[in-house]
Amino acid sequence: MIQKRFLTACLLAVSIFQAYSQTGVLRGFVYEATTGEPVISAFVTFQGVRMGAYTDEKGFYNVSNLPAGTYAAYSTLLGYDTSFAQVIIKTDIVAQNFYISATSKELKGVSVSAEKLRKSKEINISQTRINPVQLTRIPSVGGEPDLVQYLQVLPGVVFSGDQGGQLYIRGGSPVMNRVMLDGLTIYNPFHSIGLFSVFDSDILQSVDVYSAGFSSEYGGRISAIVDVKTRDGNKTEFHGKINSSPFNSKILLEGPLKKYEVGKSSSSFILSYKNSYLNKSAPLVYPFVNDGILPYSFSDLYAKIGFQSATGSNVDFFGFDYTDKVDFEESSSYAWKSRGLGTKFLLVPLNSKTIVDGSITYSNYFIEQKEINDQPRSSGINGYSVNLNFSRFFNGLDKLKYGLEMNGFRTEFQIYNSSNRRITQYENTSEINAFVNYLKNFNKKLLLEGGVRLQRYASLSETTLEPRLRMKYNFNSRWRFKASAGLYSQNLMSAVSDRDVVNLFYGFLSGPDDLPKTFLGKPVESKLQKARHAVAGFEFDINSISEINVEGYIKDFTQLTNVNRDKIFDDVPENVNRPRYLVENYIVEEGEAYGYDITYKLENKHWYIWTVYSFNIVNRYYEKEERIKYSTHFDRRHNVNIVNSYDFGKELAWTANVRWNFGSGFPFTLTQGFYEALDLSQGASTDITAENGELGIYYDDLNKGRLPYYHRLDASIKRKFKIKTKKENVFNKAEVIFSVTNIYNRENIFYFDRVNYKRENQLPLLPSLSASFSF
C-alpha cells in the first residue's frame, strides 16, 4: 500500500514537472519599420493571454514561461501602428522581431500609453528618464536644446550658474556624480559657460538620471548617476543637419554603410561637431554685455559606427574630442581637454536564455587654470574600463542581472590651498568590481529588487560589500509607493577651494594614503569615501495626462576626504610637534544631505507643464581642535523650477517655451581683512625689512555668509518649416528659434573679486536667434 502511494506520488510529481517544464520563451526586438531604429517602451503581448513585456533602450523584449501552444502576438505603442505575428511556442526559445511604423491614427483598444503602464512595472525610485523630445520643451537658450538646460529642472538638482556651472545632485558634489556616455565616464560634461554640455541633443537616445538609491548595477560614486546613451546613425538614407547662432554652430551627418532591410544585417555612421565662437562674436552681437567681453569658446566632436545583425546582436565603435577654454582678463585663464574612444556590444545567443552586453573604453582628461598670482592649478586623469554583463529573464517581469567591471586610471594633480601651500599627487589606481541584481514581481502589486556590489580597490588594498534594496508597491492603478536604500563607496575625490564664491576648477585625485590617523577620537580605518542612502516616496496619477511625484531622501556621508584648508607647514620632522591640522595635506570629514522634492507634470498634444520644488540641507563636519560644522558652497535650501511649453498653429508648427527658476542664496566665506603675507621660508635669516610680501586675505569662518537669492526667466519661440524636395512626399526641414535669457535682466552674482572689491554678475538680458536646416 505504501509502495503504491509512493509510486503514485512520484508519477504525479513527474507529470507536474513535465507540465511546468513544457514552457518556452519568446524574445526579440521591436524596430521602427522605415529606419531600423530600436523602439523603446513598446509593449509585446498576445491576444487572449494576459502576459507580455516592454522593450528596453535597445528595443529588446523577453516573455518567459509561455505554455506550449500557438499565439497571436503583437507589438504596440501609442503613436505607432500595431504589428502582428503568429508564433508557435514549444520548449525552446523563439525569436520574433516586430517592425512598427509611426501613424497619425490611434488604434482603439490596441494602442496603449506605455508611459502610464510602465510605472507599475518598474521601480523608478529617484529616477528620471529623459528622451530627446523632452529637451525641446525647455527654452533653447543660445540656440538648440541642450541636455544641461534640462538637467537643471530635475528634482534635487542644483546648478551653480550660467558661467562655470556645475551639477550638484541631492547634496553630492560633481565628483560624487558619475556621468557616463555609452558606458564611458565623462569627467567634465559641462562647458565653462553653463548653457551647454558636451552632448549633442540630436544624437541622444535616452538619458537616465538616478539622484539617490541606485541599484547595484552602478558603482564607484556615492551620490548620483547620469547614464547617457546615443542612437545609431540613419540606416536607410544619408541625412544631415546644420545649425548656427551667435553662440555656436553645428553640423551633423549620418547615413548607412550597409543599407537596412527588414530581417537583414545593417550598419551605419553618425558624426557630430559643435564649435563655439562666443569670444569672437560677442563684441559684434553683444557689445552691451560686459563691454562685449564673453571670453568663452569650446568644441565638441563625436563619431560612432554601428553594426547590427539580423538577430539583434550589435557592436558599436565610438570616439570623442571635447575642448573648452575661457580667459578672464586680469584674473585667470581656464582650459580643459577630454578625449576618449571605446566599443560596446550586445550578444543575443540563439539557444540561451541569457543575453550578454559589455564595453571596453579609454579616456584622457586634463584641466589647467592659471592665476595672476602665478599659482597654477592642474589636474589630469586617464584610464581604461572593461565591463561584461549577463541578463537572464524569468517568469513575468522577474530578471537576474550580474556582471564584472575592471577600471584602471592615473591621476596627476597640483593645487595651492588658501595658505599658499602646494599640494601634489601622482597616483596609479586599479579597481575590480562585481555585482548581482534580482528583480522579483509579486502578484503584480509588489516589485522587489535586491542586489549587492563587491568593490575591490586593489591599489588601496580595500574591499567593500555594498548591499542595495529597492521596492515599489502598487496600491491601485493610480497610487504607488516606492523606497530604496543602499551602501556606496568611491576612491576618486575632488579638490576645490571652498573659499571661492564660484569654483571653475575641479581637480581629480585618487584616495590619498596620507590621511589623518584619527577623526573625532576614532581611528580612520579606510581611505575611501563612503555614504548610505535612504529614499521613500509616492506617485499619484491625477488623470490620464497629469501626475504628482513626492520623494524624501537622506544621504549620510560617513567618510569624506578634502584638501586641508588650514595647512601652513610642510609635513617634515621639524614640524612633528605642531598641531596636525596645520601639517596634514588632507583631512577627513563627514556630512549629511537631506530634503524632499515635489514634482508635478502635465503632458498632452499641446501642453507640457513641469513644476518642481526642492528643499535641501547639506552639511559637512571636520575636526580642527573640535568638531566644526559648515555648509557647502552648493547648499541651496529652496529651489523652484517652472517649465511651460505650448505647441500651436497649423500642424503644430509653432512652439513657445518658458522657464522660471528661483533659488535661495549659496553660502560663501566672508572676507575679514587683508595683510602683507611675507615669505618666511628662510627662517630667522629672512630680512623682513627688505622682503616685499604678497597680499594676504584674512577670512571669516567657512561659508558663514549667504549670497543674494537667484531667479531668472527665460523664453523661446520656435517655428518649423517643411521644404519640398524632388521626391514625392519627402520634405527637408528648417527651424528658426528666437530666445531670450534673463528676460527681466536680474543681476545674479557670478563671483566677487576680493582684491579689487568688484562684483561680477551672471549673464544679463541676452537675446539670440538661431536657424537650422535638416536634409
Side-chain angles (χ1 to χ4, degrees):
M1 186 66 175
I2 296 178
Q3 291 178 343
K4 289 183 179 181
R5 289 180 179 177
F6 178 75
L7 181 60
T8 302
C10 289
L11 292 174
L12 180 61
V14 170
S15 63
I16 293 174
F17 175 79
Q18 289 179 339
Y20 182 79
S21 63
Q22 290 180 358
T23 61
V25 175
L26 178 68
R27 73 182 185 192
F29 294 82
V30 179
Y31 298 112
E32 212 285 333
T34 57
T35 65
E37 279 293 304
V39 179
I40 303 174
S41 299
F43 187 55
V44 177
T45 186
F46 312 91
Q47 290 184 342
V49 179
R50 297 176 62 87
M51 297 183 70
Y54 290 93
T55 57
D56 60 15
E57 71 276 359
K58 308 178 189 72
F60 179 78
Y61 76 92
N62 186 98
V63 184
S64 302
N65 289 347
L66 271 173
T70 301
Y71 295 88
Y74 63 90
S75 174
T76 181
L77 178 63
L78 188 66
Y80 288 81
D81 63 11
T82 301
S83 177
F84 291 88
Q86 181 174 296
V87 295
I88 300 175
I89 303 297
K90 296 182 180 179
T91 58
D92 54 1
I93 299 173
V94 177
Q96 178 65 55
N97 293 340
F98 292 91
Y99 303 87
I100 59 179
S101 301
T103 178
S104 58
K105 296 180 180 180
E106 190 172 322
L107 301 180
K108 186 176 181 179
V110 178
S111 290
V112 294
S113 175
E115 175 68 18
K116 293 293 182 181
L117 290 176
R118 280 181 67 92
K119 292 178 184 176
S120 61
K121 306 296 184 183
E122 63 179 16
I123 304 175
N124 57 343
I125 179 76
S126 296
Q127 176 186 356
T128 303
R129 172 163 291 179
I130 306 169
N131 59 55
V133 175
Q134 290 173 305
L135 299 183
T136 64
R137 301 301 189 178
I138 298 291
S140 303
V141 179
E144 289 199 315
D146 194 280
L147 177 61
V148 68
Q149 297 168 26
Y150 196 90
L151 290 175
Q152 296 174 36
V153 305
L154 297 186
V157 172
V158 171
F159 210 71
S160 56
D162 312 322
Q163 306 177 67
Q166 290 290 336
L167 193 69
Y168 304 88
I169 303 179
R170 286 185 170 174
S173 60
V175 76
M176 300 177 187
N177 308 322
R178 187 178 184 183
V179 180
M180 299 185 296
L181 174 63
D182 292 328
L184 193 156
T185 300
I186 304 295
Y187 292 100
N188 198 342
F190 310 115
H191 288 295
S192 52
I193 183 167
L195 303 175
F196 303 101
S197 70
V198 299
F199 309 112
D200 182 355
S201 59
D202 283 318
I203 69 173
L204 299 183
Q205 182 186 62
S206 65
V207 181
D208 287 304
V209 181
Y210 303 89
S211 58
F214 44 91
S215 72
S216 60
E217 182 178 351
Y218 298 100
R221 296 295 186 274
I222 59 174
S223 182
I225 301 292
V226 180
D227 192 359
V228 180
K229 297 181 177 67
T230 61
R231 64 178 179 86
D232 293 335
N234 193 292
K235 298 182 177 68
T236 57
E237 294 179 320
F238 177 80
H239 285 278
K241 181 178 182 179
I242 55 176
N243 171 269
S244 183
S245 76
F247 287 78
N248 60 4
S249 60
K250 183 186 81 172
I251 183 169
L252 171 70
L253 300 174
E254 59 178 319
L257 298 175
K258 181 181 179 182
K259 197 169 184 179
Y260 163 78
E261 296 181 50
V262 173
K264 297 183 179 181
S265 62
S266 63
S267 59
S268 64
F269 77 92
I270 190 167
L271 174 69
S272 170
Y273 178 71
K274 296 188 296 178
N275 180 54
S276 173
Y277 36 73
L278 186 60
N279 57 335
K280 298 178 180 179
S281 63
L284 299 175
V285 184
Y286 303 115
F288 55 90
V289 180
N290 195 29
D291 297 326
I293 300 175
L294 290 172
Y296 303 97
S297 62
F298 65 81
S299 65
D300 299 322
L301 174 66
Y302 178 87
K304 178 180 178 181
I305 299 176
F307 301 87
Q308 182 170 299
S309 71
T311 61
S313 298
N314 59 70
V315 59
D316 298 326
F317 300 92
F318 61 92
F320 62 84
D321 187 324
Y322 304 140
T323 65
D324 186 278
K325 185 177 181 180
V326 58
D327 188 1
F328 297 111
E329 292 185 359
E330 301 179 358
S331 176
S332 62
S333 64
Y334 164 93
W336 58 259
K337 295 182 179 180
S338 181
R339 293 169 179 160
L341 53 88
T343 179
K344 64 175 184 176
F345 63 88
L346 173 68
L347 179 62
V348 186
L350 293 178
N351 298 314
S352 173
K353 295 183 178 181
T354 301
I355 65 172
V356 184
D357 69 90
S359 65
I360 303 173
T361 62
Y362 172 82
S363 64
N364 186 1
Y365 171 81
F366 181 78
I367 183 174
E368 184 176 28
Q369 184 170 344
K370 296 180 179 179
E371 306 280 356
I372 59 174
N373 59 7
D374 196 28
Q375 293 182 347
R377 311 177 192 181
S378 64
S379 176
I381 180 169
N382 64 80
Y384 69 90
S385 176
V386 179
N387 73 81
L388 193 62
N389 303 316
F390 304 85
S391 299
R392 180 159 183 154
F393 299 84
F394 298 95
N395 184 37
L397 298 175
D398 297 359
K399 178 182 177 181
L400 173 67
K401 188 170 185 178
Y402 54 96
L404 297 170
E405 181 181 11
M406 293 182 293
N407 300 315
F409 56 88
R410 174 180 173 83
T411 55
E412 301 178 7
F413 176 82
Q414 173 183 278
I415 193 174
Y416 290 82
N417 72 356
S418 57
S419 299
N420 297 329
R421 307 306 298 181
R422 183 171 176 261
I423 299 174
T424 62
Q425 184 196 77
Y426 301 91
E427 192 74 41
N428 292 303
T429 304
S430 59
E431 302 174 4
I432 302 175
N433 314 312
F435 78 92
V436 60
N437 199 69
Y438 186 75
L439 173 64
K440 176 66 178 176
N441 180 22
F442 294 91
N443 298 323
K444 300 181 181 180
K445 287 284 188 181
L446 176 63
L447 292 175
L448 190 62
E449 182 182 71
V452 64
R453 187 175 183 90
L454 183 69
Q455 294 264 150
R456 172 61 180 174
Y457 300 93
S459 57
L460 298 178
S461 300
E462 285 196 47
T463 302
T464 63
L465 190 64
E466 302 170 7
R468 318 274 175 86
L469 183 65
R470 292 152 41 97
M471 61 83 65
K472 172 177 281 189
Y473 187 82
N474 300 292
F475 292 105
N476 51 46
S477 60
R478 299 174 67 185
W479 281 95
R480 294 170 292 275
F481 173 78
K482 52 188 179 180
S484 67
L487 302 182
Y488 305 87
S489 68
Q490 74 177 67
N491 181 23
L492 198 65
M493 63 169 283
S494 173
V496 300
S497 174
D498 290 305
R499 310 293 188 183
D500 295 336
V501 174
V502 177
N503 292 291
L504 293 177
F505 177 85
Y506 283 87
F508 295 97
L509 304 89
S510 59
D513 294 325
D514 51 341
L515 289 181
K517 303 299 182 183
T518 62
F519 177 64
L520 298 178
K522 299 179 181 179
V524 176
E525 299 177 346
S526 174
K527 299 179 178 64
L528 300 173
Q529 300 188 83
K530 298 182 178 182
R532 300 180 291 193
H533 294 190
V535 191
F538 68 86
E539 304 167 354
F540 176 63
D541 294 335
I542 300 173
N543 50 41
S544 61
I545 63 171
S546 61
E547 63 189 59
I548 290 178
N549 184 78
V550 178
E551 289 184 0
Y553 71 92
I554 182 169
K555 293 180 180 178
D556 181 15
F557 300 105
T558 55
Q559 180 168 313
L560 300 173
T561 306
N562 209 336
V563 171
N564 186 5
R565 324 172 174 79
D566 299 307
K567 174 174 177 171
I568 58 176
F569 300 108
D570 292 328
D571 192 1
V572 294
E574 291 81 359
N575 296 321
V576 67
N577 294 323
R578 299 188 184 276
R580 296 308 299 168
Y581 71 87
L582 299 178
V583 177
E584 303 275 6
N585 285 328
Y586 307 98
I587 60 172
V588 173
E589 297 184 331
E590 60 185 16
E592 62 200 8
Y594 56 92
Y596 60 88
D597 304 301
I598 303 173
T599 306
Y600 171 77
K601 177 183 176 182
L602 181 148
E603 186 173 15
N604 60 19
K605 183 179 180 180
H606 293 278
W607 288 95
Y608 180 85
I609 299 174
W610 174 271
T611 302
V612 178
Y613 169 73
S614 297
F615 175 78
N616 309 279
I617 294 179
V618 187
N619 295 320
R620 297 283 191 269
Y621 303 88
Y622 70 98
E623 182 181 23
K624 201 170 185 180
E625 294 177 344
E626 57 183 3
R627 187 173 187 257
I628 299 176
K629 174 182 176 181
Y630 72 95
S631 298
T632 63
H633 62 82
F634 52 89
D635 177 32
R636 172 163 283 171
R637 299 295 172 90
H638 306 279
N639 197 36
V640 178
N641 276 285
I642 300 175
V643 176
N644 199 329
S645 178
Y646 180 62
D647 296 330
F648 60 99
K650 185 178 180 181
E651 296 183 333
L652 302 181
W654 291 87
T655 300
N657 297 332
V658 177
R659 178 211 172 186
W660 185 69
N661 178 217
F662 171 87
S664 55
F666 288 124
F668 77 105
T669 303
L670 297 167
T671 302
Q672 292 286 72
F674 301 92
Y675 64 94
E676 183 181 8
L678 299 175
D679 184 5
L680 303 177
S681 58
Q682 301 301 318
S685 62
T686 303
D687 184 359
I688 62 174
T689 62
E691 182 74 22
N692 187 16
E694 297 180 352
L695 181 65
I697 301 175
Y698 181 68
Y699 296 100
D700 193 6
D701 291 338
L702 182 62
N703 289 344
K704 291 296 186 181
R706 285 275 173 176
L707 295 177
Y709 275 47
Y710 172 97
H711 53 88
R712 195 181 80 184
L713 178 67
D714 302 332
S716 68
I717 187 163
K718 177 174 66 177
R719 177 66 163 90
K720 295 177 285 188
F721 302 91
K722 287 185 177 180
I723 303 172
K724 290 185 178 181
T725 65
K726 295 180 179 180
K727 296 181 180 180
E728 186 178 356
N729 296 325
V730 177
F731 298 88
N732 292 328
K733 298 178 181 179
E735 290 184 354
V736 176
I737 301 175
F738 176 72
S739 65
V740 181
T741 304
N742 199 2
I743 288 179
Y744 51 80
N745 204 26
R746 164 72 177 180
E747 293 184 349
N748 294 303
I749 189 170
F750 173 34
Y751 72 94
F752 192 85
D753 185 342
R754 300 176 188 268
V755 175
N756 297 309
Y757 204 77
K758 182 181 179 182
R759 167 176 167 160
E760 298 291 343
N761 291 324
Q762 304 271 10
L763 294 177
L765 186 148
L766 201 67
S768 175
L769 182 67
S770 68
S772 64
F773 177 71
S774 301
F775 54 91

